[in-house]
Amino acid sequence: MAITQQTFDFLNQLKINNNREWFHANKKEYDGVKASFEESIQELINSIGTFENLSGVKIKDCNYRIARDVRFSANKDPYKTWLSASFSEGGRKSGKMDYYLHIENGGSFLGGGMYSPTAEQLAAFRQEIDFSPESLKGIIFDPLFVKTFGTPEGEKVKTSPKGYDKNHPEIELLKWKQMFFWKKFTNEEVLSPNFVEQVTETCKILKPYLDYLNVIFFDHEEPDIQLL
């Protein structure tokens, strides 16, 4: 079952009526939307699993709840107005860099990368750039990668990170505090019969960058990344 227009219609109405009374009154419609999204998640587990180790990963390990955690948020809307899932070895709670899929009316995308690194991870990222900048540059400046994702997204320091000279030859890469990439999908692309295939092919292009991060964050050895 592919994602249908019903998904966007429901999310649009939820944005207008973001309260528990409306949600529970329309629970049957949500259940249908959730079921179609979960079928797409399973299809993606199967297809991404051909090049990533998703052994044992189930739908519940990828899917995010639609209910928002409002305890520490100024926004008290009880529900998200999008659907989302992420795919990685061990599931979304593993801590590994993952492929994140976001379905929202006019705002769907597939993304991934270094979004909230620990201080240790950021230090390892910068150290790897200092020691071997060509590894990262060969990935993010690859023509197909650039065509798909464009330039990096995320925050940068304004001058130079502590411990690095402002005249370092790779200072612009070293400035990144975050570095993630995303590819947007139109509603028409999301609703197309080959959407799972489009997402899968996008994941394959993103894979070398996620591999790069997972190696330096978790394997503590020099990355040996092969471009697809």
Side-chain angles (χ1 to χ4, degrees):
M1 182 191 302
I3 296 171
T4 67
Q5 182 61 41
Q6 179 188 10
T7 296
F8 290 128
D9 291 343
F10 177 83
L11 293 175
N12 285 344
Q13 288 300 310
L14 180 57
K15 188 172 291 188
I16 298 168
N17 304 281
N18 201 329
N19 59 77
R20 289 180 177 82
E21 293 74 19
W22 183 89
F23 188 87
H24 288 296
N26 292 272
K27 183 67 162 51
K28 185 176 180 180
E29 185 177 359
Y30 169 67
D31 288 341
V33 166
K34 182 182 178 185
S36 65
F37 185 54
E38 289 186 341
E39 288 202 19
S40 294
I41 291 174
Q42 184 59 61
E43 291 178 24
L44 284 165
I45 291 172
N46 297 341
S47 60
I48 296 172
T50 62
F51 55 88
E52 293 289 358
N53 179 14
L54 299 185
S55 177
V57 173
K58 298 179 172 57
I59 292 172
K60 65 181 178 63
D61 302 318
C62 303
N63 202 5
Y64 289 92
R65 297 175 63 224
I66 197 167
R68 295 181 64 249
D69 184 350
V70 300
R71 291 173 299 172
F72 309 107
S73 174
N75 180 358
K76 298 301 181 182
D77 287 345
Y79 302 105
K80 301 169 186 173
T81 55
W82 61 85
L83 305 174
S84 55
S86 61
F87 305 85
S88 67
E89 181 178 355
R92 60 183 173 82
K93 296 182 179 180
S94 68
K96 294 289 185 77
M97 300 298 102
D98 53 23
Y99 306 96
Y100 173 77
L101 178 63
H102 183 103
I103 302 298
E104 182 176 9
N105 182 45
S108 300
F109 65 89
L110 184 284
M114 187 176 69
Y115 189 77
S116 300
T118 65
E120 292 78 11
Q121 289 173 339
L122 184 56
F125 179 76
R126 287 173 171 156
Q127 184 180 65
E128 190 61 40
I129 293 171
D130 188 29
F131 288 167
S132 179
E134 295 308 318
S135 297
L136 177 61
K137 291 164 74 173
I139 296 168
I140 66 173
F141 297 143
D142 174 78
L144 180 58
F145 194 95
V146 174
K147 180 180 178 181
T148 304
F149 298 107
T151 55
E153 301 278 352
E155 295 183 3
K156 301 175 75 172
V157 297
K158 293 181 179 179
T159 54
S160 59
K162 186 177 180 180
Y164 293 95
D165 189 278
K166 65 179 181 179
N167 296 315
H168 190 290
E170 303 299 339
I171 190 61
E172 291 306 316
L173 285 178
L174 291 167
K175 284 181 180 180
W176 290 98
K177 296 165 59 180
Q178 303 171 303
M179 183 184 284
F180 52 89
F181 297 87
W182 58 347
K183 173 180 169 53
K184 297 179 182 179
F185 292 100
T186 65
N187 286 11
E188 290 73 23
E189 287 172 324
V190 173
L191 298 176
S192 69
N194 70 338
F195 180 59
V196 165
E197 182 181 342
Q198 291 182 65
V199 172
T200 303
E201 291 305 308
T202 305
C203 289
K204 287 181 180 179
I205 298 168
L206 184 60
K207 175 178 169 60
Y209 180 55
L210 298 192
D211 286 349
Y212 175 91
L213 294 177
N214 280 323
V215 167
I216 62 175
F217 289 171
F218 300 106
D219 293 355
H220 307 293
E221 60 186 39
E222 185 173 348
D224 181 19
I225 306 301
Q226 299 297 318
L227 293 179
L228 294 176

